[in-house]
Amino acid sequence: IKFSLIEIKKECVEYLEDGLKINFSLWRKKDKNFFLLKEYLIQFEFNYDQSNNIIKSTKGISGKYFESKKYRLFMERDFLFISEKINIEKLNIDVNEKGNYKFFRNIIKFEIINFSDFSFIKDPKIAQIDFEKIKFPLTIRKWKNGDSFRPYGLNGTKKVSDFLIDNKVPSYIKIFQGVVLFENKIVWLIGHQIDDKFKVKNKTRKVLRISIN
């Protein structure tokens, strides 16, 4: 049975907010020699040699990536992820006061509330910090190798890289992972955990609430 590129795309490509996922295992069943996959990758400016290397790399370790002029392709265990290239290394944002700040495609909101209005919220997109333990300015940036923090509820510190691996965060998401810093110390691993030393206690009077919109 011969399949067209349009038919395979319909079954094997999932369009997400930040890019698209290609179900490699399913594509392999329909396009055994990957002729149509190579044709598809040309649309994202990957040349013939790159396409061959991409296909060979599917048998290797997850996390490897390839770049064309405008796109980045990540290798995961059962799929490929393609997104537009963004200059992610130089994105440092100074947070000098409460308000909304854009980080990649997310809006991060900083607000100050009284402890009387505080309630525990179990939502990874919301961080609540003892405002008396920090002060503006804060910084938002991409995480770096060597970053570590003390996840909420744990006694010891943990490297961010290990935390992301333990939580099975895929490479195409990990590369955009941000942190909120105070004096170069991680306050919040965005979308995951605050550092335990900044948690709200009974003596807290002001709370900094940070949320992703």
Side-chain angles (χ1 to χ4, degrees):
I1 300 174
K2 289 187 177 181
F3 295 91
S4 70
L5 181 54
I6 294 174
E7 289 173 320
I8 296 181
K9 278 172 58 180
K10 190 173 181 180
E11 289 192 45
C12 302
V13 178
E14 179 183 359
Y15 294 89
L16 305 176
E17 183 180 353
D18 294 327
L20 57 88
K21 286 172 66 174
I22 301 172
N23 185 321
F24 187 81
S25 299
L26 185 57
W27 193 302
R28 186 202 305 267
K29 292 177 182 178
K30 299 178 180 298
D31 181 24
K32 193 176 295 184
N33 295 319
F34 298 112
F35 175 80
L36 294 176
L37 179 59
K38 293 174 186 177
E39 184 180 324
Y40 185 54
L41 293 177
I42 287 172
Q43 299 176 28
F44 300 96
E45 303 178 1
F46 292 100
N47 61 38
Y48 181 81
D49 287 338
Q50 284 179 307
S51 297
N52 278 335
N53 287 330
I54 288 166
I55 291 163
K56 289 177 184 176
S57 296
T58 57
K59 298 177 182 178
I61 301 171
S62 296
K64 189 173 182 179
Y65 67 89
F66 296 82
E67 292 185 343
S68 66
K69 187 175 181 180
K70 294 181 181 178
Y71 295 92
R72 185 179 278 118
L73 182 149
F74 294 89
M75 314 293 303
E76 296 296 339
R77 184 170 297 175
D78 297 313
F79 64 87
L80 311 176
F81 183 86
I82 300 175
S83 64
E84 289 186 51
K85 287 171 68 174
I86 302 173
N87 190 341
I88 56 179
E89 303 301 334
K90 296 181 180 179
L91 188 54
N92 277 42
I93 299 170
D94 293 326
V95 179
N96 295 309
E97 58 184 355
K98 62 183 181 179
N100 296 329
Y101 297 81
K102 187 172 183 180
F103 183 71
F104 297 127
R105 294 180 176 88
N106 293 318
I107 301 296
I108 302 179
K109 183 178 182 180
F110 292 77
E111 54 186 328
I112 300 168
I113 63 173
N114 293 319
F115 183 75
S116 57
D117 298 321
F118 167 80
S119 61
F120 181 76
I121 302 172
K122 192 175 182 181
D123 185 339
K125 292 187 176 182
I126 298 174
Q128 299 191 101
I129 306 296
D130 187 340
F131 191 58
E132 294 164 46
K133 294 181 179 177
I134 61 173
K135 61 183 178 180
F136 293 118
L138 305 175
T139 303
I140 308 171
R141 68 156 167 79
K142 180 186 174 293
W143 76 282
K144 299 177 181 177
N145 283 326
D147 280 349
S148 62
F149 74 125
R150 181 181 171 186
Y152 179 79
L154 293 186
N155 292 324
T157 60
K158 192 162 195 172
K159 287 186 176 180
V160 169
S161 56
D162 292 337
F163 182 94
L164 296 175
I165 289 171
D166 292 346
N167 284 271
K168 296 182 171 62
V169 177
S171 299
Y172 71 92
I173 293 177
K174 193 187 302 182
I175 197 167
F176 298 110
Q177 177 64 53
V179 291
V180 176
L181 304 173
F182 169 61
E183 295 182 343
N184 290 320
K185 297 181 181 69
I186 292 177
V187 173
W188 184 32
L189 180 62
I190 297 173
H192 293 282
Q193 287 279 10
I194 66 168
D195 187 291
D196 192 80
K197 59 179 168 284
F198 298 107
K199 67 186 176 186
V200 175
K201 297 182 178 179
N202 291 333
K203 295 180 180 179
T204 299
R205 290 177 293 179
K206 293 281 186 182
V207 176
L208 176 65
R209 181 178 290 161
I210 317 172
S211 56
I212 306 172
N213 295 331

